[in-house]
Amino acid sequence: MRLIIRNAQIVNEGRIVTKDVLINKNRIEKIDHSIAIHKELVCNEINAEGLYLLPGFIDDQVHFREPGLTHKADLFTESIAAVAGGITSFMDMPNTLPNTLTNELLEQKYSLADEKSLANYSFFMGLTKDNWEETLKTDTENVCGVTDDGLYFSKEDGIIANYPEYIEKIFANSNTLIALHSENDAIIKKNTETLQLQFNSDIPFEYHPIIRNEEACYSTTKELIDIAKKYGNRLHLFHISTLAETELFDCKTPLHKKRITAEACVHHLWFSDQDYKKLGAKIKWNPAIKSEMNQKGLFDALHSGKLDIIATDHAPHTIEEKTGTYFQAMSGGPLVQHALPALLEMYHQNKLTLEMIVEKTAHYVAEIYKLKERGYIREGYYADLVLVDINQSWKVTKENILYKCKWSPFEEQVFQSKIMTTIVNGNIVYTNGVFDYSPKGMRLQFSKIR
């Protein structure tokens, strides 16, 4: 059945225009002023007058926790929260149980998503020091990339980015997109030991950005960039959190020619170190949320093009796992339901334009990962769309939180903009608080050459 969206203010490719959009099956068939439909054709209509139509948010960094950690989250619950938040596609990290370190385990996750996910999906292949030959087998047309995010050699060894000789071996042999978490474990360990002398195990949460400080981020990010330049490899750096790091990135090369790209995350843009006293462990993420100076630096880098996209790093834990001392409370938190409303709030605060929000959450994500026929509102592309009322306020409460973990750092926040309808592959999966659970998302496809 066809679907027509009438009189929508379409935010797409740097412009806002009022047009109709005709959807036939999974794809956008026509975009034009006042599309006429033959009376014999059956067609559903949405009157979008006064609403903005955006390409769906493509989130390249989520932890949906399935398999093995489904007490925190799972592919069904988090995809529900995602589409309610305007996210139509996601890319999931490998730190599930078991860790996604073989192509067989990778395909098992795809099978789960095929049955459960309302949003489109892809899964990263995990990267450790023991499986690099397996990562070389990754099908770059069917898998978004390779990453170490959330994976550790061991508690003592730390993250893979701290082993430049191993990174060199990977970069010398791989032609796929490699996405990395960059922090220096030696610096973090030294800072932790210093504060333990002062506070023992009860370190206040506001010291998190002092433990995981600017130097810890900058030093490792610089080293990774230097190695990537040496081999000309395709490197993407997750969740940049400091002003100093942003100076390492190129804003002159067109995005489609960049070999090194990077992102900001919603929580680093919204919160600052001033929020730890109120929210404590609820905003404990790695890398840490830092000072307002660093926060401003991220906005500047998004505007200049040094940072290319915005993601969530949605990493839910139960509220019990977020309580206790500094060392007991786990890092990470849920974000997919509230990320786009938060970015739209930044539009109201004159920090981002609607056009930039669309670029950084859809267009440029599609460009970085070379996604096939998604990320834009174009004829022939998949109909992954979000209708937004930018002037309808609502409040985040325990009752309307959809995450399986049932909490949010945004609780009691009033947003001025509301997601009204989310369309995935031409199917209305969410509208006005009501879900259609029957249509499932599709496996994302990528161009082989990246």
Side-chain angles (χ1 to χ4, degrees):
M1 184 176 290
R2 289 173 172 82
L3 170 67
I4 190 163
I5 303 170
R6 296 226 181 256
N7 299 313
Q9 296 180 71
I10 301 172
V11 186
N12 189 58
E13 301 190 64
R15 300 172 61 218
I16 301 177
V17 295
T18 302
K19 289 187 178 181
D20 295 350
V21 177
L22 175 64
I23 298 165
N24 188 5
K25 297 180 180 177
N26 299 133
R27 297 179 183 264
I28 298 169
E29 184 174 294
K30 189 174 184 180
I31 304 168
D32 207 346
H33 299 284
S34 190
I35 297 173
I37 299 295
H38 194 283
K39 63 181 179 180
E40 293 181 1
L41 293 177
V42 178
C43 186
N44 287 333
E45 290 198 12
I46 296 175
N47 179 8
E49 189 170 353
L51 303 180
Y52 287 81
L53 185 67
L54 284 56
F57 191 144
I58 304 168
D59 191 352
D60 84 325
Q61 192 190 170
V62 305
H63 303 258
F64 280 4
R65 305 301 192 195
E66 189 170 2
L69 297 166
T70 54
H71 67 286
K72 303 174 191 275
D74 61 57
L75 287 162
F76 179 63
T77 60
E78 306 315 283
S79 69
I80 288 171
V83 298
I87 293 173
T88 56
S89 300
F90 65 84
M91 303 177 199
D92 185 73
M93 297 298 111
N95 60 330
T96 45
L97 292 178
N99 293 161
T100 315
L101 302 179
T102 68
N103 280 280
E104 181 181 5
L105 290 170
L106 190 63
E107 289 305 318
Q108 288 175 14
K109 289 179 77 170
Y110 279 108
S111 295
L112 287 168
D114 186 54
E115 297 173 0
K116 296 184 174 185
S117 179
L118 272 66
N120 302 314
Y121 49 85
S122 190
F123 296 91
F124 280 91
M125 167 66 101
L127 175 64
T128 72
K129 67 178 180 181
D130 300 317
N131 79 327
W132 73 275
E133 290 181 338
E134 182 75 7
T135 67
L136 298 181
K137 302 174 187 176
T138 302
D139 182 351
T140 55
E141 285 187 280
N142 290 298
V143 179
C144 50
V146 172
T147 187
D148 71 326
D149 194 65
L151 299 173
Y152 303 88
F153 288 172
S154 72
K155 288 185 178 179
E156 290 74 30
D157 288 339
I159 64 173
I160 206 170
N162 289 271
Y163 294 82
E165 69 284 355
Y166 181 68
I167 294 294
E168 291 222 17
K169 182 166 69 171
I170 294 295
F171 280 12
N173 288 280
S174 176
N175 62 358
T176 190
L177 182 147
I178 298 173
L180 297 174
H181 175 134
S182 55
E183 288 186 287
N184 188 301
D185 285 317
I187 292 173
I188 292 167
K189 183 179 180 181
K190 180 182 176 182
N191 292 339
T192 302
E193 289 171 348
T194 299
L195 285 169
Q196 278 184 297
L197 292 174
Q198 182 179 353
F199 294 105
N200 295 317
S201 63
D202 197 20
I203 297 174
F205 287 101
E206 56 261 38
Y207 285 84
H208 191 52
I210 295 173
I211 290 174
R212 293 178 173 267
N213 63 8
E214 287 91 341
E215 182 189 4
C217 296
Y218 177 86
S219 60
T220 302
T221 297
K222 184 179 187 306
E223 189 166 41
L224 290 173
I225 289 172
D226 289 343
I227 297 171
K229 286 180 177 178
K230 177 179 176 181
Y231 291 97
N233 209 289
R234 186 62 192 84
L235 171 66
H236 181 68
L237 287 162
F238 287 139
H239 41 48
I240 296 302
S241 62
T242 73
L243 168 62
E245 286 173 284
T246 67
E247 297 302 324
L248 298 170
F249 297 103
D250 176 11
C251 63
K252 296 180 181 178
T253 303
L255 182 62
H256 70 279
K257 292 184 178 181
K258 282 188 180 183
R259 300 299 293 163
I260 299 168
T261 53
E263 72 192 30
C265 281
V266 172
H267 49 288
H268 292 125
L269 296 170
W270 183 274
F271 301 105
S272 76
D273 59 1
Q274 300 302 303
D275 295 305
Y276 282 105
K277 286 190 181 296
K278 177 183 176 183
L279 293 170
K282 286 186 174 181
I283 59 166
K284 184 189 178 192
W285 260 274
N286 300 336
I289 289 163
K290 296 182 175 68
S291 68
E292 291 177 349
M293 178 191 72
N294 284 297
Q295 184 186 53
K296 182 180 183 302
L298 298 180
F299 277 106
D300 290 344
L302 286 168
H303 282 278
S304 70
K306 291 177 180 177
L307 293 181
D308 304 291
I309 62 173
I310 299 171
T312 69
D313 194 13
H314 172 86
H317 300 287
T318 66
I319 196 64
E320 292 77 17
E321 291 168 333
K322 291 292 284 184
T323 56
T325 67
Y326 176 82
F327 293 104
Q328 292 169 332
M330 302 185 80
S331 295
L335 275 173
V336 289
Q337 185 182 350
H338 304 109
L340 184 53
L343 294 175
L344 293 170
E345 198 69 15
M346 295 173 202
Y347 157 76
H348 286 289
Q349 296 164 354
N350 296 316
K351 294 178 179 177
L352 298 171
T353 65
L354 293 177
E355 295 92 331
M356 179 174 285
I357 291 170
V358 164
E359 286 176 350
K360 301 295 185 180
T361 62
H363 298 344
Y364 291 178
V365 189
E367 295 296 334
I368 283 173
Y369 286 91
K370 300 295 187 280
L371 261 170
K372 290 183 178 179
E373 299 169 331
R374 298 189 191 273
Y376 294 87
I377 302 177
R378 289 175 177 169
E379 292 178 357
Y381 272 52
Y382 285 99
D384 297 334
L385 304 167
V386 182
L387 273 170
V388 173
D389 187 336
I390 64 167
N391 294 308
Q392 185 172 154
S393 63
W394 65 288
K395 185 177 182 180
V396 181
T397 66
K398 285 186 182 296
E399 291 71 31
N400 59 33
I401 290 171
L402 296 170
Y403 312 122
K404 194 172 191 177
C405 67
K406 295 297 181 185
W407 68 272
S408 167
F410 287 108
E411 213 165 304
E412 300 304 310
Q413 173 67 44
V414 175
F415 289 120
Q416 296 179 67
S417 301
K418 189 173 184 180
I419 311 302
M420 304 305 294
T421 300
T422 303
I423 298 168
V424 179
N425 304 314
N427 299 302
I428 300 173
V429 295
Y430 171 83
T431 188
N432 254 340
V434 178
F435 295 90
D436 183 351
Y437 301 113
S438 54
K440 297 299 186 286
M442 297 172 63
R443 182 171 182 162
L444 298 173
Q445 298 292 308
F446 308 87
S447 297
K448 198 171 187 68
I449 304 300
R450 298 200 220 173

